[in-house]
Amino acid sequence: MNLTESLLHALKAHGARQIFGIPGDFALPYFRIVESSGILPLYTLSHEPGVGFAADAAARIGTRDEPALGVAAVTYGAGALNMVNAVAAAYAEKSPLVVLSGGPGQGESNSGLLLHHQAKTLDSQYRIFEEITCDRARLDDAARAPADIARVLGNCRRHSRPVYLELPRDMVAVPCAPVPAFEPPAVDPDALAACADEILQRLAAARRPALMVDVEVRRYGLEAQVAELARRLALPVATCFMGRGLLAEADAPLVGTYMGVAGLPEVTRLVEDSDALFLLGVILSDTNFAVSEKKIDLRRSIVACDGEVRLGYHVYPQIPLAALVEALLARTAPRAGGFQVTPSAYPHGLVADDAPIAPQDIATAVNDLMAAQGRMPIASDMGDCLFTAMDIAHTALVAPGYYATMGFGVPAGLGLQAATGQRPLILVGDGAFQMTGWELGNCRRYGWDPIVLLFNNASWEMLRTFQPESHFNDLDDWGFASMAAGLGGDGVRVHTRAELGAALARAAATRGRFQLIEVMIPRGVLSSTLQRFVAGVKRLNAPK
C-alpha cells in the first residue's frame, strides 16, 4: 500500500464517501492514484470555491444519521488558496471538511528557485490554513504519516471542523503502513455524571423549560437521540436560524425556527420566556441571536457546545455532545404516549394567476410540490432565498446561515445529490449565481438533475435593504434561463404565479437534466421574514 492509498482508506473509515476536486500539476500524482484505486469516487468541478462548498455540503447532509467527512482535493497555491473562503465558512459553521493539497517535492523545494504557485514562502499556504483548520500535517515522512493522518482525521471528527493535509508530489506513491484507528480522549465519568444530573435538576425545577438545537446536533449524528431526549423530557424544541432543517426526519416535538423579532411570535416567546433554555450544540452567533426581542440571559441557560457545558457560571470542560446526550438518555425513561406541540404552519395553495411573483409565492409553490410529491433536501445560498426557505415546510437544509458567504447554493446542491442520491432543490439569488452557478455545467457528466429556483431581481437586494441609496447594488439582467441548454440542462424564465406553478410541475416531472427556473421578482420586493429581520437589526443597532 502506498501513502495515498493508506490515506484514502483512512478517509473512508472516518466517513468520507466521495472526493470533490480540481487537479493541478502538484496534485496530478495523487489524483492519478485516487482515480485508479477507486477507493472513493472522484467528482471534478470547475472552480475551487465550488469544490469547497460541494464537499462542505456533503459533510453536512451526510451527518443526519452518522458523522461523515467531506473531502476537497486541490493543487498547491493557486488551487488551495482559491478555496480559502469556502474552508473558512466550513470552519465557522463547524463542518468536518478535509482539505487535500498537493505540494512541492523535496528536490524542487531545495532547488533554490522560486516555484510557480508559491506565494511568499513555500510554507505560506500551510500557515494560512492554520487560521481556518483545527489540525494539519504535511505528509513528508512515510514512517510518521500514518500517525499524523490518524491524529488529523480524528480531530476533524472530534471537533467537527476542517483539517488540512499536504501531499508532496514525490511522496504520494511511497510505501506506507495502514493508518491506525484514532482513539478519542476518554471522558471523565464522574464529571459527565455530575453534569447530566445538574442539567436534569435545572430542567425539572423550571416552569418553562425549552430546548433549542443547532448544527452540532447534526454534525455529530445525534438527531434521532436528541428527538428521543426531547420526547422523554417533554421539552418543546426550536431550531435556530443556522439549525433550520434539523430534526426534519425525526419524530420530535418541533415548534419551528427561532428568529427573534423576525420570526413567529409563539416561537419567540417560547425561547425568550424560558427559565431553563437548553442550548444544545448552539453557536452563540449574531445571526442566531442578534434580533432577539429580549436578550437571552445565559446565566439562566444551559449551553452545551464546543465540547463543554455551561450552566450559568458553572463550567464542565471536556464534555463531548454525544457523551452528554447519551448520559441524559440513560437517566430518563421513555414516555408513554407522544409529547405533542403545535408546529408552525406554512403557506400552501399557490394562486395560479397573472400576478407578479413575490418570495412568499415561491415558498407556497414549493410547499405545494412537496405536499404532493414528498420532501426534497434543499441547498440555499445567502440572501432572501434563505429567508424564503423559512416559509418552506421543514425539510433537510444546508445553507451558510452564520458565515453568510455568497456562492454556496449551487455547488452545495451538487454535493447533496452526490452524497445522498436524492434530487435536491437549490435556492439561489442572481448575484450568487453569477459566482458559482456555472458549476451546473458538470451535472451532465455525473447524472445530477437538481431543480434550481433562481431569484432574479437584478440586484444584490439583501444589501440594498440595509443601504437603499446605493446604486452599486444594481445588477444587469444576464438572461440565465437561456444559458441552461448550453450547460446541459433546461431553463425557463417565469414572471407570474401561474407560470411559476406550471414551471415547477414540469421541472419535477423531468428527470436526467438539471432544471433551472429563473424567477423574475420586481426589485424591492422582499420576503416578509427578511423585512422583519432587517427592521429588527436596524432597530436594535440604532443609536440609543
Side-chain angles (χ1 to χ4, degrees), residues 376-397:
M376 301 172 67
I378 295 175
S380 178
D381 220 291
M382 198 58 206
D384 204 10
C385 56
L386 180 53
F387 286 91
T388 298
M390 300 302 110
D391 284 323
I392 294 175
H394 217 63
T395 190
L397 171 74

Side-chain angles (χ1 to χ4, degrees), residues 26 32 39 49 85 117 126 133 154 158 181 208 210 231 269 278 300 310 324 330 430 432 449 484 493 495 504 538:
F26 288 103
R32 178 172 55 197
I39 296 169
N85 180 63
H117 296 336
Y126 193 89
T133 60
R158 178 185 173 196
R208 297 181 301 277
R231 292 193 297 270
R269 289 193 298 270
F278 190 3
R300 300 169 60 192
R310 283 174 280 159
L324 175 65
D430 53 327
D449 59 351
R493 173 177 280 197
H495 294 84
L504 195 53
K538 288 182 176 179

Side-chain angles (χ1 to χ4, degrees), residues 86-268:
V87 180
Y91 187 91
E93 300 199 352
K94 298 187 177 180
S95 185
L97 173 67
V98 181
V99 177
L100 303 182
S101 174
Q106 183 175 5
E108 56 201 335
S109 298
N110 296 331
S111 68
L113 299 173
L114 293 173
L115 301 183
H116 63 284
H117 296 336
Q118 177 181 336
K120 184 177 181 181
T121 72
L122 289 176
D123 287 334
S124 294
Q125 175 176 303
Y126 193 89
R127 292 201 298 271
I128 287 168
F129 274 86
E130 283 189 67
E131 288 296 314
I132 52 175
T133 60
C134 68
D135 202 356
R136 63 217 63 82
R138 180 179 290 124
L139 305 179
D140 54 6
D141 183 332
R144 193 181 66 240
D148 285 344
I149 294 170
R151 184 197 77 244
V152 170
L153 297 187
N155 282 330
C156 185
R157 286 282 297 270
R158 178 185 173 196
H159 300 291
S160 192
R161 278 197 156 121
V163 294
Y164 173 84
L165 291 168
E166 188 173 303
L167 288 78
R169 61 176 165 183
D170 59 356
M171 291 295 299
V172 298
V174 172
C176 183
V179 175
F182 179 77
E183 296 296 332
V187 179
D188 183 336
D190 295 332
L192 178 61
C195 179
D197 290 341
E198 186 173 350
I199 289 173
L200 293 175
Q201 291 167 9
R202 178 79 64 91
L203 293 172
R207 292 174 298 160
R208 297 181 301 277
L211 175 65
M212 182 186 287
V213 295
D214 198 359
V215 295
E216 280 197 1
V217 169
R218 174 167 292 173
R219 304 295 190 262
Y220 294 111
L222 298 173
E223 288 182 78
Q225 297 95 313
V226 170
E228 175 62 20
L229 181 64
R231 292 193 297 270
R232 292 187 184 187
L233 296 175
L235 291 176
V237 184
T239 75
C240 57
F241 185 56
M242 270 189 68
R244 177 71 174 194
L246 280 169
L247 307 179
E249 298 180 7
D251 179 20
L254 188 64
V255 296
T257 297
Y258 170 75
M259 296 186 67
V261 297
L264 298 173
E266 59 271 25
V267 180
T268 299

